[in-house]
Amino acid sequence: MSLSADTAAGLSSTIIGLGILLSSLAQLSARRHLAEGGFFDWQVIRARVSWTREGAVARRLDRLFTYPPVLWIIAVQALSAAVLALHPSAALTLAALGVVLATQLLLRLRTQWGTDGADQITLIVLAGLFCFYLAPPGTLRTASLVFIAAETVLCYFAAGLSKLLDERWRSGMAIPVIVRSLEFGLAPVSARLDQNAGRLLCWSTILWEGSAPLFVLLGPGPCLVYLGLGFFFHVSVAVVMGLTDFVWAYAATYPAVLFLSDLIA
Amino acid sequence: MVHTARLVAGAAGVFLLAVWFLLSAVHQYRSGVLLRRLRRRDVLFLLPSWTYFRHPAVMDCVVLTRDRLDSGELTPWTRHRSYDVNLGLRPFWNPDRRVRYGVFDACMQVTRRGRLPSVTALADQPAYRALINFAGEQPREAGSVARQFMIVDSVGDSANGKPSTFFVSPFHDLR
């Protein structure tokens, strides 16, 4: 299966745009936490870093990050993400990517806490795609997609290796512990997860994550199978653990991974 | 001219991406002086860490609250409403997920992984103040004049054993 660079980038743009749009709507829905007296009250958050606490930069950020002006950042992000998802033209996509990248970074500075792996992968996809559409057609565009793919492979491989080195994962304890937790758990699943099932799931996760480089090297066919399993994995994690954003963030990297696999083959 | 500008900008961008990738790779396995300095300054969380679930969340940092009424009576400990998630919708719509993650981060800072700090030492810490705000978001009963919060773990429905308490705050006036 052959995927051109433009097709891969277009697919990634659409998927990540949809994910960020949903995420932005969720942030707007939970906007009370950004308000005065909320967990993410700017008057509290700004004290974490010296240059947001005082000085010329701090004063400018105050105008942007207090409530309700901060909602405009999220709204602009949502609109730009919608444009990204529609992927109307290369120029508009580049503009939308620039805006979304800027709003993502601003919102990270604004909230400081609560960032997870999906946010990190999202930023990697956005940065890679921004470079793709900034550069003229050719090697630089290829390199931009390779960056996204390489970070994804690194992510899966590092995660798999770190789990392999941990006794709780090797013994099969880790997943039962996670699904018992309030934040990442689901009682009906937890009740059915015996020791053997736990061991099977843990080792499946270790082997699937750790084998990422291998399946990319084997070529587009095996890579597609691997990514299909990946999509199933992330959807399962969304259902059981509530990690919704991970589906969109990682799915957005898959066209680039497939592109890399085809390039190597 | 435009083509040249795009070429230069694109090359600079790709160079930065390459540096970012190298730092990402090294960051997973090494913790040298340079990386520690970078991490301290990384307020935008650009350095990814892909090994988060290596240590499964044995602890849930869950926040419970109770109020002191004007009669002096204390209400029962109640789990914060942000934890009341519609499990059917959660795979698609989980808007309070980010604040709960943030609360977990703040709890880790406040409890410092088991070393219980004095409240006076905590009073000006952003993490503690954020948790006071979080606790304050709970609906109030009639007559509530003050609220305290408690950080516990393992209050999930299928948890083994009783919750462990990490930290109990003093009462804070409700404005």
Side-chain angles (χ1 to χ4, degrees):
Chain A
M1 176 178 175
S2 193
L3 203 64
S4 72
D6 284 337
T7 304
L11 282 171
S12 289
S13 299
T14 298
I15 297 169
I16 203 70
L18 285 170
I20 294 171
L21 175 59
L22 277 173
S23 169
S24 303
L25 292 174
Q27 284 184 279
L28 286 171
S29 165
R31 60 188 177 276
R32 71 184 186 281
H33 300 302
L34 293 165
E36 188 184 335
F39 178 79
F40 290 121
D41 184 342
W42 175 237
Q43 297 310 313
V44 173
I45 299 292
R46 66 199 290 265
R48 294 193 73 219
V49 178
S50 61
W51 52 271
T52 59
R53 204 162 48 225
E54 54 205 4
V57 172
R59 283 191 293 276
R60 283 187 175 79
L61 288 176
D62 279 352
R63 279 198 287 271
L64 202 55
F65 286 164
T66 48
Y67 187 92
V70 66
L71 298 181
W72 285 108
I73 302 177
I74 304 172
V76 165
Q77 180 174 263
L79 281 169
S80 303
V83 171
L84 195 56
L86 291 170
H87 187 54
S89 70
L92 276 174
T93 299
L94 178 63
L97 281 164
V99 173
V100 175
L101 208 42
T103 54
Q104 284 273 303
L105 293 173
L106 282 172
L107 289 170
R108 282 192 185 195
L109 187 61
R110 172 58 179 82
T111 55
Q112 298 279 319
W113 288 305
T115 305
D116 63 13
D119 296 316
Q120 293 177 329
I121 279 284
T122 295
L123 198 69
I124 280 162
V125 171
L126 290 172
L129 289 175
F130 184 78
C131 286
F132 180 92
Y133 285 106
L134 184 65
T139 309
L140 292 174
R141 285 195 169 188
T142 301
S144 302
L145 287 179
V146 167
F147 163 77
I148 296 172
E151 282 277 11
T152 307
V153 172
L154 171 67
C155 164
Y156 283 143
F157 179 73
L161 182 61
S162 70
K163 292 180 177 85
L164 181 65
L165 296 174
D166 190 274
E167 169 58 28
R168 281 164 296 196
W169 280 94
R170 288 199 306 273
S171 67
M173 260 181 59
I175 289 180
V177 163
I178 290 169
V179 297
R180 267 205 305 272
S181 69
L182 185 65
E183 180 57 45
F184 300 118
L186 195 63
V189 172
S190 174
R192 286 168 176 74
L193 213 53
D194 62 13
Q195 198 173 9
N196 289 331
R199 199 174 289 125
L200 177 66
L201 286 173
C202 283
W203 275 100
S204 298
T205 304
I206 291 169
L207 290 172
W208 173 75
E209 285 183 334
S211 61
L214 175 67
F215 277 89
V216 170
L217 290 170
L218 285 175
C223 184
L224 192 59
V225 171
Y226 181 87
L227 296 177
L229 289 172
F231 184 73
F232 174 74
F233 169 76
H234 287 297
V235 168
S236 304
V237 164
V239 170
V240 176
M241 296 171 64
L243 297 177
T244 317
D245 292 351
F246 280 66
V247 178
W248 299 100
Y250 281 88
T253 69
Y254 287 1
V257 176
L258 202 55
F259 174 79
L260 175 62
S261 184
D262 189 39
L263 198 68
I264 292 171
Chain B
M1 178 118 173
V2 172
H3 178 87
T4 307
R6 288 179 68 189
L7 199 58
V8 170
V14 167
F15 174 75
L16 288 174
L17 293 182
V19 170
W20 191 0
F21 175 75
L22 285 171
L23 284 175
S24 300
V26 172
H27 184 239
Q28 307 311 313
Y29 302 108
R30 292 254 184 271
S31 187
V33 170
L34 173 64
L35 279 172
R36 279 200 296 275
R37 278 185 189 161
L38 279 174
R39 212 178 297 130
R40 270 200 301 271
R41 287 161 176 76
D42 186 18
V43 293
L44 296 178
F45 305 99
L46 299 178
L47 275 179
S49 175
W50 304 130
T51 61
Y52 178 76
F53 277 105
R54 174 183 179 174
H55 303 295
V58 182
M59 306 180 307
D60 283 314
C61 264
V62 182
V63 173
L64 308 178
T65 62
R66 70 174 176 182
D67 289 356
R68 185 173 60 217
L69 305 178
D70 49 15
S71 61
E73 192 185 332
L74 298 179
T75 63
W77 286 107
T78 312
R79 199 167 69 187
H80 196 282
R81 62 179 174 171
S82 290
Y83 299 108
D84 298 332
V85 180
N86 183 325
L87 294 178
L89 275 180
R90 190 177 69 162
F92 315 100
W93 187 249
N94 197 358
D96 283 340
R97 178 179 65 87
R98 194 171 295 279
V99 75
R100 291 196 304 273
Y101 282 12
V103 167
F104 180 86
D105 290 342
C107 287
M108 288 289 100
Q109 289 181 22
V110 164
T111 59
R112 297 190 186 178
R113 300 179 188 274
R115 291 187 294 134
L116 295 176
S118 70
V119 176
T120 26
L122 283 174
D124 290 330
Q125 276 197 28
Y128 184 74
R129 292 170 57 202
L131 288 172
I132 292 173
N133 283 352
F134 183 67
E137 289 179 12
Q138 279 283 70
R140 301 176 190 184
E141 290 199 22
S144 292
V145 295
R147 175 167 292 168
Q148 77 178 153
F149 68 87
M150 176 165 64
I151 301 172
V152 300
D153 80 337
S154 298
V155 290
D157 293 338
S158 306
N160 288 334
K162 294 180 181 173
S164 302
T165 303
F166 292 134
F167 178 80
V168 181
S169 79
F171 278 95
H172 293 276
D173 288 338
L174 290 168
R175 278 185 240 116

